[in-house]
Amino acid sequence: MNLNIALLPGDGVGPEVLAQAVKCLQAVEETFNHNFIYREALVGAIAIDKKGSPLPDKTLQLCKDADAVLFGAIGDPKYDIDPNAKVRPEQGLLKLRKELGLFTNIRPVKVFPTLIENSPLKKEIISGTDFTIYRELTGGIYFGEKKLNEKGTVASDLCEYSEKEISRIAHLAFKAAKNRRNKLTLVDKANVLESSRLWRKVVTKIGESYPEVNLEYLFVDNAAMQIILNPSQFDVILTENMFGDIISDEGSVIGGSIGLLASASVGDDNAMFEPIHGSYSQAKGKDIANPIASILSAAMLLEHFGLFEEAMAVREAVDKSLEKGIMTPDLDAKSQYGTNQVGDFIADNIVDSDDDFNINDENIDLGKSTII
Ligand code: IPM
Ligand code: MN
């Protein structure tokens, strides 16, 4: 298959983790005879520094012309501490989502059996967790009208949803539930918010066309509690933009590290794949960031194009790295392995699943490459 992939490394650890995902895609090309073309462009704080805009026109065009976008991370502390900043890196990502029409963000939350001890939660609680969040991505409070009065003392953000915005993602979520365990939980705040009541009405109606799917409703505050108390009860969670943002970070705790969670953002014409973690600027350039979320985002890209065997090869190589303890320090504080080495191991194992990549302890002590 020929694919044009736009690469947006972005900020912080974005470039480092994205490079590992590209290594893995190149391993897939080599092993399965595909031809992927990669074109890189600026986004985020680095794009503001170099071009004065968090999403330069050239970047947007490149993404529109590509078959898929692979995204690194966005954000820089210098903007986080400045509420007066007029231009913010995050605007680049939000505009990209909107312009590409990526209305559905899919975030799978699963526990890797080998990492069950890594979670801060008890293993009897998290074992068997396997759910997917369908987060609406181009509407709601993120995109509603924003106001600040002249004195700068009163502000508001409007949360608006239309029937159409709700129904297009709801259909995708019901279809996903049908292919999984036939359970869909709508997370909202319908006891307080008018927009949530519209979600309930629209989703309930659509549910009639999916009689095999068991539709349940949960208020978001209760959902936040249930995700920690009993995560294995969930199959597909459908929710609006901001609730989805919050509960997906919460969900990432279950697996032991946010560095493991991948996501796909899809619309009618475009698709983008990115880790759910942020730019983690403190780790930038230190070779400690976990590349697995980025690598698994590449696996989701492959699945999106029907390359299931290829995606499976990536997932199996990731499992193997975890089984062998070839992981970054977020998963094992004593780990000797860096971002690059984990990426190399996974890429090598895609090419040859018997590649056991001898680990040379002597070299670890010398601070040299451990891969021989
Ligand atoms: C995410 C991020 C973004 C969001 C930020 C960077 C704008 O937190 O993808 O979850 O809030 O959507
Ligand atoms: Mn988030």
Side-chain angles (χ1 to χ4, degrees):
M1 183 181 277
N2 292 329
L3 284 178
N4 268 313
I5 302 175
L7 299 179
L8 305 195
D11 304 321
V13 298
E16 296 161 55
V17 295
L18 190 76
Q20 312 314 312
V22 172
K23 265 182 208 168
C24 293
L25 287 175
Q26 285 167 336
V28 165
E29 284 181 79
E30 183 185 329
T31 315
F32 296 88
N33 278 319
H34 296 301
N35 182 22
F36 303 157
I37 293 167
Y38 308 92
R39 292 202 178 86
E40 208 174 298
L42 293 168
V43 75
I46 185 166
I48 300 176
D49 291 347
K50 293 198 173 160
K51 303 279 172 201
S53 158
L55 181 67
D57 292 344
K58 222 172 126 187
T59 302
L60 180 58
Q61 196 54 48
L62 183 87
C63 294
K64 284 186 172 165
D65 294 341
D67 296 307
V69 182
L70 202 55
F71 194 94
I74 210 160
D76 189 292
K78 73 181 176 209
Y79 296 96
D80 296 344
I81 52 172
D82 177 10
N84 295 317
K86 286 271 171 291
V87 187
R88 316 184 67 83
E90 289 79 5
Q91 289 163 346
L93 178 58
L94 299 181
K95 185 167 175 211
L96 192 58
R97 290 172 176 169
K98 193 75 169 179
E99 292 275 341
L100 297 181
L102 306 173
F103 58 82
T104 298
N105 183 221
I106 304 164
R107 297 186 161 182
V109 178
K110 214 171 172 167
V111 172
F112 288 90
T114 36
L115 293 179
I116 199 135
E117 305 285 350
N118 278 68
S119 175
L121 302 177
K122 294 193 182 88
K123 68 173 181 224
E124 53 278 21
I125 291 202
I126 61 166
S127 106
T129 298
D130 177 6
F131 63 87
T132 295
I133 299 171
Y134 273 62
R135 167 191 177 195
E136 202 290 327
L137 204 59
T138 51
I141 196 166
Y142 273 59
F143 291 94
E145 188 187 0
K146 298 185 187 306
K147 282 192 194 161
L148 181 65
N149 73 347
E150 262 179 37
K151 276 188 174 162
T153 51
V154 181
S156 68
D157 299 271
L158 183 68
C159 179
E160 196 171 52
Y161 269 109
S162 69
E163 213 176 358
K164 185 180 158 218
E165 286 174 309
I166 299 167
S167 71
R168 60 190 181 181
I169 183 174
H171 279 289
L172 295 183
F174 273 109
K175 283 181 189 143
K178 237 172 100 171
N179 287 327
R180 293 172 50 100
R181 300 192 306 277
N182 281 315
K183 186 172 169 186
L184 181 66
T185 307
L186 174 64
V187 169
D188 63 24
K189 189 73 186 171
N191 49 346
V192 178
L193 303 178
E194 201 58 52
S195 52
S196 285
R197 288 192 277 272
L198 184 65
W199 272 83
R200 280 211 182 193
K201 209 175 99 193
V202 174
V203 172
T204 305
K205 183 88 189 108
I206 292 173
E208 290 168 12
S209 326
Y210 300 88
E212 59 281 73
V213 178
N214 179 18
L215 173 63
E216 293 186 353
Y217 310 89
L218 263 190
F219 295 141
V220 63
D221 45 353
N222 189 8
M225 191 169 74
Q226 295 296 330
I227 284 173
I228 296 296
L229 282 178
N230 179 13
S232 62
Q233 68 180 290
F234 296 108
D235 182 13
V236 176
I237 293 178
L238 168 63
T239 192
E240 61 92 68
N241 203 342
M242 187 151 84
F243 296 159
D245 179 44
I246 297 168
I247 63 170
S248 57
D249 266 32
E250 189 191 9
S252 77
V253 173
I254 300 169
S257 171
I258 195 167
L260 297 167
L261 257 73
S263 87
S265 302
V266 300
D268 291 330
D269 305 315
N270 294 289
M272 179 159 97
F273 302 85
E274 59 176 307
I276 86 152
H277 63 71
S279 55
Y280 188 22
S281 298
Q282 318 86 285
K284 182 183 171 160
K286 293 194 180 147
D287 196 36
I288 55 169
N290 193 339
I292 290 182
S294 185
I295 292 171
L296 291 177
S297 300
M300 292 183 86
L301 181 156
L302 295 167
E303 281 155 356
H304 181 78
F305 291 101
L307 303 177
F308 298 108
E309 200 188 329
E310 290 81 345
M312 189 50 79
V314 176
R315 292 185 188 281
E316 280 171 3
V318 167
D319 289 346
K320 191 159 167 198
S321 77
L322 296 174
E323 276 156 29
K324 297 221 170 273
I326 298 175
M327 49 177 82
T328 42
D330 53 314
L331 294 173
D332 172 8
K334 293 194 290 291
S335 169
Q336 308 271 6
Y337 300 103
T339 311
N340 259 293
Q341 287 171 314
V342 173
D344 284 344
F345 179 86
I346 296 171
D348 286 354
N349 268 270
I350 294 168
V351 178
D352 175 5
S353 54
D354 292 327
D355 189 337
D356 241 346
F357 177 95
N358 288 314
I359 318 243
N360 185 339
D361 293 330
E362 221 173 88
N363 276 0
I364 291 178
D365 295 338
L366 294 171
K368 291 185 194 156
S369 170
T370 55
I371 303 159
I372 53 171

mmCIF file of all heavy atoms in Angstrom, residues 94-128:
data_model
loop_
_atom_site.group_PDB
_atom_site.id
_atom_site.type_symbol
_atom_site.label_atom_id
_atom_site.label_comp_id
_atom_site.label_asym_id
_atom_site.label_seq_id
_atom_site.Cartn_x
_atom_site.Cartn_y
_atom_site.Cartn_z
ATOM 1 N N LEU A 94 -6.104 22.484 18.119
ATOM 2 C CA LEU A 94 -7.563 22.633 18.039
ATOM 3 C C LEU A 94 -7.986 23.023 16.622
ATOM 4 O O LEU A 94 -8.955 22.484 16.078
ATOM 5 C CB LEU A 94 -8.055 23.663 19.065
ATOM 6 C CG LEU A 94 -7.772 23.304 20.530
ATOM 7 C CD1 LEU A 94 -8.319 24.378 21.457
ATOM 8 C CD2 LEU A 94 -8.359 21.956 20.907
ATOM 9 N N LYS A 95 -7.222 23.934 16.014
ATOM 10 C CA LYS A 95 -7.558 24.358 14.656
ATOM 11 C C LYS A 95 -7.383 23.192 13.673
ATOM 12 O O LYS A 95 -8.203 22.999 12.770
ATOM 13 C CB LYS A 95 -6.664 25.546 14.250
ATOM 14 C CG LYS A 95 -7.036 26.123 12.914
ATOM 15 C CD LYS A 95 -6.393 27.468 12.633
ATOM 16 C CE LYS A 95 -6.750 27.898 11.208
ATOM 17 N NZ LYS A 95 -5.723 28.709 10.587
ATOM 18 N N LEU A 96 -6.349 22.428 13.900
ATOM 19 C CA LEU A 96 -6.100 21.271 13.034
ATOM 20 C C LEU A 96 -7.266 20.286 13.113
ATOM 21 O O LEU A 96 -7.768 19.793 12.099
ATOM 22 C CB LEU A 96 -4.800 20.601 13.492
ATOM 23 C CG LEU A 96 -4.172 19.552 12.591
ATOM 24 C CD1 LEU A 96 -3.861 20.133 11.225
ATOM 25 C CD2 LEU A 96 -2.886 19.028 13.233
ATOM 26 N N ARG A 97 -7.718 19.989 14.339
ATOM 27 C CA ARG A 97 -8.853 19.072 14.509
ATOM 28 C C ARG A 97 -10.080 19.600 13.775
ATOM 29 O O ARG A 97 -10.779 18.865 13.096
ATOM 30 C CB ARG A 97 -9.176 18.909 16.003
ATOM 31 C CG ARG A 97 -8.117 18.119 16.763
ATOM 32 C CD ARG A 97 -8.377 18.164 18.270
ATOM 33 N NE ARG A 97 -7.414 17.340 19.002
ATOM 34 C CZ ARG A 97 -7.283 17.356 20.322
ATOM 35 N NH1 ARG A 97 -8.033 18.145 21.066
ATOM 36 N NH2 ARG A 97 -6.403 16.571 20.913
ATOM 37 N N LYS A 98 -10.329 20.907 13.947
ATOM 38 C CA LYS A 98 -11.510 21.510 13.346
ATOM 39 C C LYS A 98 -11.403 21.513 11.818
ATOM 40 O O LYS A 98 -12.319 21.089 11.119
ATOM 41 C CB LYS A 98 -11.643 22.953 13.871
ATOM 42 C CG LYS A 98 -12.953 23.599 13.594
ATOM 43 C CD LYS A 98 -14.035 23.046 14.511
ATOM 44 C CE LYS A 98 -15.311 23.862 14.442
ATOM 45 N NZ LYS A 98 -16.348 23.287 15.326
ATOM 46 N N GLU A 99 -10.260 21.981 11.321
ATOM 47 C CA GLU A 99 -10.088 22.107 9.867
ATOM 48 C C GLU A 99 -10.111 20.755 9.153
ATOM 49 O O GLU A 99 -10.549 20.651 8.024
ATOM 50 C CB GLU A 99 -8.764 22.820 9.551
ATOM 51 C CG GLU A 99 -8.755 24.279 9.957
ATOM 52 C CD GLU A 99 -9.351 25.179 8.888
ATOM 53 O OE1 GLU A 99 -9.441 24.736 7.733
ATOM 54 O OE2 GLU A 99 -9.728 26.319 9.222
ATOM 55 N N LEU A 100 -9.600 19.733 9.838
ATOM 56 C CA LEU A 100 -9.598 18.404 9.215
ATOM 57 C C LEU A 100 -10.913 17.665 9.481
ATOM 58 O O LEU A 100 -11.118 16.554 9.009
ATOM 59 C CB LEU A 100 -8.417 17.557 9.720
ATOM 60 C CG LEU A 100 -7.004 18.076 9.406
ATOM 61 C CD1 LEU A 100 -5.949 17.118 9.957
ATOM 62 C CD2 LEU A 100 -6.783 18.252 7.908
ATOM 63 N N GLY A 101 -11.770 18.285 10.280
ATOM 64 C CA GLY A 101 -13.084 17.664 10.560
ATOM 65 C C GLY A 101 -12.979 16.390 11.381
ATOM 66 O O GLY A 101 -13.745 15.442 11.188
ATOM 67 N N LEU A 102 -12.031 16.360 12.305
ATOM 68 C CA LEU A 102 -11.792 15.142 13.106
ATOM 69 C C LEU A 102 -12.746 15.117 14.298
ATOM 70 O O LEU A 102 -12.364 15.417 15.422
ATOM 71 C CB LEU A 102 -10.331 15.116 13.574
ATOM 72 C CG LEU A 102 -9.287 15.267 12.457
ATOM 73 C CD1 LEU A 102 -7.885 15.395 13.039
ATOM 74 C CD2 LEU A 102 -9.358 14.070 11.503
ATOM 75 N N PHE A 103 -13.973 14.746 14.069
ATOM 76 C CA PHE A 103 -14.979 14.896 15.118
ATOM 77 C C PHE A 103 -14.995 13.762 16.139
ATOM 78 O O PHE A 103 -15.626 13.879 17.178
ATOM 79 C CB PHE A 103 -16.369 15.111 14.502
ATOM 80 C CG PHE A 103 -16.820 14.010 13.581
ATOM 81 C CD1 PHE A 103 -17.381 12.849 14.084
ATOM 82 C CD2 PHE A 103 -16.692 14.144 12.209
ATOM 83 C CE1 PHE A 103 -17.803 11.839 13.231
ATOM 84 C CE2 PHE A 103 -17.118 13.144 11.346
ATOM 85 C CZ PHE A 103 -17.671 11.977 11.868
ATOM 86 N N THR A 104 -14.313 12.682 15.844
ATOM 87 C CA THR A 104 -14.311 11.561 16.799
ATOM 88 C C THR A 104 -12.897 11.213 17.239
ATOM 89 O O THR A 104 -12.035 10.945 16.406
ATOM 90 C CB THR A 104 -14.943 10.304 16.174
ATOM 91 O OG1 THR A 104 -16.300 10.596 15.858
ATOM 92 C CG2 THR A 104 -14.911 9.126 17.135
ATOM 93 N N ASN A 105 -12.690 11.231 18.529
ATOM 94 C CA ASN A 105 -11.393 10.850 19.085
ATOM 95 C C ASN A 105 -11.573 9.524 19.830
ATOM 96 O O ASN A 105 -12.395 9.414 20.729
ATOM 97 C CB ASN A 105 -10.923 11.958 20.044
ATOM 98 C CG ASN A 105 -9.561 11.716 20.641
ATOM 99 O OD1 ASN A 105 -9.349 11.969 21.818
ATOM 100 N ND2 ASN A 105 -8.619 11.238 19.860
ATOM 101 N N ILE A 106 -10.797 8.533 19.391
ATOM 102 C CA ILE A 106 -10.953 7.175 19.932
ATOM 103 C C ILE A 106 -9.757 6.875 20.831
ATOM 104 O O ILE A 106 -8.604 6.915 20.365
ATOM 105 C CB ILE A 106 -11.030 6.162 18.769
ATOM 106 C CG1 ILE A 106 -12.168 6.559 17.811
ATOM 107 C CG2 ILE A 106 -11.209 4.742 19.286
ATOM 108 C CD1 ILE A 106 -12.105 5.869 16.454
ATOM 109 N N ARG A 107 -10.037 6.603 22.091
ATOM 110 C CA ARG A 107 -8.945 6.381 23.047
ATOM 111 C C ARG A 107 -9.127 5.047 23.779
ATOM 112 O O ARG A 107 -9.900 4.953 24.733
ATOM 113 C CB ARG A 107 -8.901 7.537 24.064
ATOM 114 C CG ARG A 107 -8.600 8.859 23.398
ATOM 115 C CD ARG A 107 -8.410 10.018 24.346
ATOM 116 N NE ARG A 107 -7.700 11.094 23.658
ATOM 117 C CZ ARG A 107 -7.341 12.240 24.215
ATOM 118 N NH1 ARG A 107 -7.626 12.492 25.475
ATOM 119 N NH2 ARG A 107 -6.684 13.139 23.516
ATOM 120 N N PRO A 108 -8.416 4.021 23.346
ATOM 121 C CA PRO A 108 -8.544 2.713 24.007
ATOM 122 C C PRO A 108 -7.783 2.678 25.330
ATOM 123 O O PRO A 108 -6.676 3.186 25.428
ATOM 124 C CB PRO A 108 -7.901 1.736 23.013
ATOM 125 C CG PRO A 108 -7.561 2.534 21.785
ATOM 126 C CD PRO A 108 -7.507 3.966 22.199
ATOM 127 N N VAL A 109 -8.406 2.095 26.333
ATOM 128 C CA VAL A 109 -7.765 1.939 27.655
ATOM 129 C C VAL A 109 -7.739 0.450 27.985
ATOM 130 O O VAL A 109 -8.782 -0.183 28.116
ATOM 131 C CB VAL A 109 -8.548 2.684 28.758
ATOM 132 C CG1 VAL A 109 -7.903 2.465 30.129
ATOM 133 C CG2 VAL A 109 -8.640 4.174 28.448
ATOM 134 N N LYS A 110 -6.539 -0.093 28.082
ATOM 135 C CA LYS A 110 -6.408 -1.529 28.284
ATOM 136 C C LYS A 110 -5.267 -1.773 29.266
ATOM 137 O O LYS A 110 -4.315 -1.003 29.291
ATOM 138 C CB LYS A 110 -6.051 -2.154 26.940
ATOM 139 C CG LYS A 110 -6.614 -3.524 26.716
ATOM 140 C CD LYS A 110 -6.378 -3.939 25.284
ATOM 141 C CE LYS A 110 -6.758 -5.392 25.121
ATOM 142 N NZ LYS A 110 -6.849 -5.796 23.757
ATOM 143 N N VAL A 111 -5.380 -2.835 30.040
ATOM 144 C CA VAL A 111 -4.277 -3.141 30.952
ATOM 145 C C VAL A 111 -3.384 -4.187 30.301
ATOM 146 O O VAL A 111 -3.858 -5.216 29.830
ATOM 147 C CB VAL A 111 -4.834 -3.681 32.294
ATOM 148 C CG1 VAL A 111 -3.711 -4.190 33.169
ATOM 149 C CG2 VAL A 111 -5.600 -2.597 33.013
ATOM 150 N N PHE A 112 -2.102 -3.888 30.223
ATOM 151 C CA PHE A 112 -1.164 -4.898 29.742
ATOM 152 C C PHE A 112 -0.913 -5.874 30.894
ATOM 153 O O PHE A 112 -0.479 -5.439 31.972
ATOM 154 C CB PHE A 112 0.181 -4.264 29.361
ATOM 155 C CG PHE A 112 0.137 -3.454 28.104
ATOM 156 C CD1 PHE A 112 -0.169 -2.104 28.136
ATOM 157 C CD2 PHE A 112 0.395 -4.051 26.877
ATOM 158 C CE1 PHE A 112 -0.203 -1.357 26.964
ATOM 159 C CE2 PHE A 112 0.361 -3.308 25.704
ATOM 160 C CZ PHE A 112 0.060 -1.958 25.749
ATOM 161 N N PRO A 113 -1.170 -7.177 30.680
ATOM 162 C CA PRO A 113 -1.004 -8.133 31.785
ATOM 163 C C PRO A 113 0.373 -8.037 32.438
ATOM 164 O O PRO A 113 0.498 -8.127 33.658
ATOM 165 C CB PRO A 113 -1.204 -9.495 31.114
ATOM 166 C CG PRO A 113 -1.938 -9.212 29.848
ATOM 167 C CD PRO A 113 -1.624 -7.805 29.439
ATOM 168 N N THR A 114 1.405 -7.782 31.620
ATOM 169 C CA THR A 114 2.765 -7.721 32.177
ATOM 170 C C THR A 114 2.969 -6.506 33.084
ATOM 171 O O THR A 114 3.931 -6.441 33.832
ATOM 172 C CB THR A 114 3.805 -7.632 31.039
ATOM 173 O OG1 THR A 114 3.258 -6.845 29.988
ATOM 174 C CG2 THR A 114 4.226 -8.971 30.553
ATOM 175 N N LEU A 115 2.075 -5.533 32.977
ATOM 176 C CA LEU A 115 2.274 -4.296 33.748
ATOM 177 C C LEU A 115 1.279 -4.163 34.884
ATOM 178 O O LEU A 115 1.154 -3.092 35.477
ATOM 179 C CB LEU A 115 2.133 -3.078 32.828
ATOM 180 C CG LEU A 115 3.197 -2.907 31.756
ATOM 181 C CD1 LEU A 115 2.895 -1.675 30.919
ATOM 182 C CD2 LEU A 115 4.585 -2.789 32.379
ATOM 183 N N ILE A 116 0.582 -5.259 35.185
ATOM 184 C CA ILE A 116 -0.513 -5.136 36.141
ATOM 185 C C ILE A 116 -0.054 -4.612 37.505
ATOM 186 O O ILE A 116 -0.782 -3.911 38.197
ATOM 187 C CB ILE A 116 -1.311 -6.463 36.228
ATOM 188 C CG1 ILE A 116 -2.675 -6.207 36.841
ATOM 189 C CG2 ILE A 116 -0.562 -7.560 36.955
ATOM 190 C CD1 ILE A 116 -3.810 -6.868 36.127
ATOM 191 N N GLU A 117 1.206 -4.898 37.827
ATOM 192 C CA GLU A 117 1.733 -4.417 39.117
ATOM 193 C C GLU A 117 2.123 -2.936 39.060
ATOM 194 O O GLU A 117 2.407 -2.322 40.080
ATOM 195 C CB GLU A 117 2.982 -5.216 39.531
ATOM 196 C CG GLU A 117 2.801 -6.726 39.604
ATOM 197 C CD GLU A 117 2.016 -7.168 40.831
ATOM 198 O OE1 GLU A 117 1.772 -6.331 41.722
ATOM 199 O OE2 GLU A 117 1.641 -8.362 40.881
ATOM 200 N N ASN A 118 2.182 -2.383 37.862
ATOM 201 C CA ASN A 118 2.618 -0.984 37.723
ATOM 202 C C ASN A 118 1.565 0.038 38.097
ATOM 203 O O ASN A 118 1.871 1.195 38.353
ATOM 204 C CB ASN A 118 2.998 -0.694 36.274
ATOM 205 C CG ASN A 118 4.390 -1.137 35.965
ATOM 206 O OD1 ASN A 118 4.632 -2.322 35.957
ATOM 207 N ND2 ASN A 118 5.287 -0.209 35.768
ATOM 208 N N SER A 119 0.318 -0.395 38.058
ATOM 209 C CA SER A 119 -0.754 0.555 38.298
ATOM 210 C C SER A 119 -0.798 0.947 39.766
ATOM 211 O O SER A 119 -0.557 0.130 40.648
ATOM 212 C CB SER A 119 -2.084 -0.084 37.908
ATOM 213 O OG SER A 119 -3.134 0.785 38.233
ATOM 214 N N PRO A 120 -1.131 2.208 40.055
ATOM 215 C CA PRO A 120 -1.317 2.587 41.462
ATOM 216 C C PRO A 120 -2.595 1.962 42.038
ATOM 217 O O PRO A 120 -2.812 1.990 43.249
ATOM 218 C CB PRO A 120 -1.440 4.116 41.399
ATOM 219 C CG PRO A 120 -1.827 4.430 39.999
ATOM 220 C CD PRO A 120 -1.281 3.338 39.135
ATOM 221 N N LEU A 121 -3.423 1.382 41.158
ATOM 222 C CA LEU A 121 -4.653 0.743 41.637
ATOM 223 C C LEU A 121 -4.408 -0.750 41.876
ATOM 224 O O LEU A 121 -3.535 -1.348 41.260
ATOM 225 C CB LEU A 121 -5.764 0.919 40.599
ATOM 226 C CG LEU A 121 -6.100 2.363 40.229
ATOM 227 C CD1 LEU A 121 -7.155 2.406 39.144
ATOM 228 C CD2 LEU A 121 -6.585 3.120 41.450
ATOM 229 N N LYS A 122 -5.248 -1.323 42.744
ATOM 230 C CA LYS A 122 -5.073 -2.750 43.081
ATOM 231 C C LYS A 122 -5.345 -3.623 41.863
ATOM 232 O O LYS A 122 -6.250 -3.350 41.081
ATOM 233 C CB LYS A 122 -6.065 -3.145 44.176
ATOM 234 C CG LYS A 122 -5.822 -2.461 45.498
ATOM 235 C CD LYS A 122 -6.655 -3.179 46.570
ATOM 236 C CE LYS A 122 -6.514 -2.515 47.923
ATOM 237 N NZ LYS A 122 -7.485 -1.437 48.150
ATOM 238 N N LYS A 123 -4.560 -4.706 41.752
ATOM 239 C CA LYS A 123 -4.690 -5.488 40.518
ATOM 240 C C LYS A 123 -6.038 -6.179 40.404
ATOM 241 O O LYS A 123 -6.546 -6.366 39.298
ATOM 242 C CB LYS A 123 -3.516 -6.441 40.311
ATOM 243 C CG LYS A 123 -3.364 -7.572 41.239
ATOM 244 C CD LYS A 123 -2.227 -8.455 40.694
ATOM 245 C CE LYS A 123 -2.045 -9.640 41.609
ATOM 246 N NZ LYS A 123 -0.666 -9.933 41.904
ATOM 247 N N GLU A 124 -6.656 -6.525 41.530
ATOM 248 C CA GLU A 124 -7.976 -7.171 41.405
ATOM 249 C C GLU A 124 -9.024 -6.185 40.873
ATOM 250 O O GLU A 124 -10.034 -6.577 40.302
ATOM 251 C CB GLU A 124 -8.435 -7.847 42.700
ATOM 252 C CG GLU A 124 -8.438 -7.021 43.967
ATOM 253 C CD GLU A 124 -7.073 -6.912 44.665
ATOM 254 O OE1 GLU A 124 -6.025 -7.122 44.024
ATOM 255 O OE2 GLU A 124 -7.062 -6.576 45.869
ATOM 256 N N ILE A 125 -8.763 -4.905 41.043
ATOM 257 C CA ILE A 125 -9.697 -3.902 40.508
ATOM 258 C C ILE A 125 -9.479 -3.688 39.005
ATOM 259 O O ILE A 125 -10.420 -3.596 38.231
ATOM 260 C CB ILE A 125 -9.537 -2.566 41.275
ATOM 261 C CG1 ILE A 125 -10.051 -2.786 42.700
ATOM 262 C CG2 ILE A 125 -10.239 -1.405 40.571
ATOM 263 C CD1 ILE A 125 -10.455 -1.593 43.458
ATOM 264 N N ILE A 126 -8.230 -3.648 38.601
ATOM 265 C CA ILE A 126 -7.986 -3.267 37.196
ATOM 266 C C ILE A 126 -7.935 -4.447 36.233
ATOM 267 O O ILE A 126 -8.031 -4.241 35.020
ATOM 268 C CB ILE A 126 -6.687 -2.451 37.053
ATOM 269 C CG1 ILE A 126 -5.477 -3.259 37.509
ATOM 270 C CG2 ILE A 126 -6.794 -1.145 37.791
ATOM 271 C CD1 ILE A 126 -4.183 -2.625 37.077
ATOM 272 N N SER A 127 -7.795 -5.668 36.766
ATOM 273 C CA SER A 127 -7.622 -6.777 35.834
ATOM 274 C C SER A 127 -8.858 -6.899 34.931
ATOM 275 O O SER A 127 -9.994 -6.739 35.372
ATOM 276 C CB SER A 127 -7.288 -8.062 36.601
ATOM 277 O OG SER A 127 -8.361 -8.898 36.628
ATOM 278 N N GLY A 128 -8.623 -7.133 33.681
ATOM 279 C CA GLY A 128 -9.715 -7.254 32.714
ATOM 280 C C GLY A 128 -10.197 -5.932 32.135
ATOM 281 O O GLY A 128 -11.129 -5.910 31.335
#
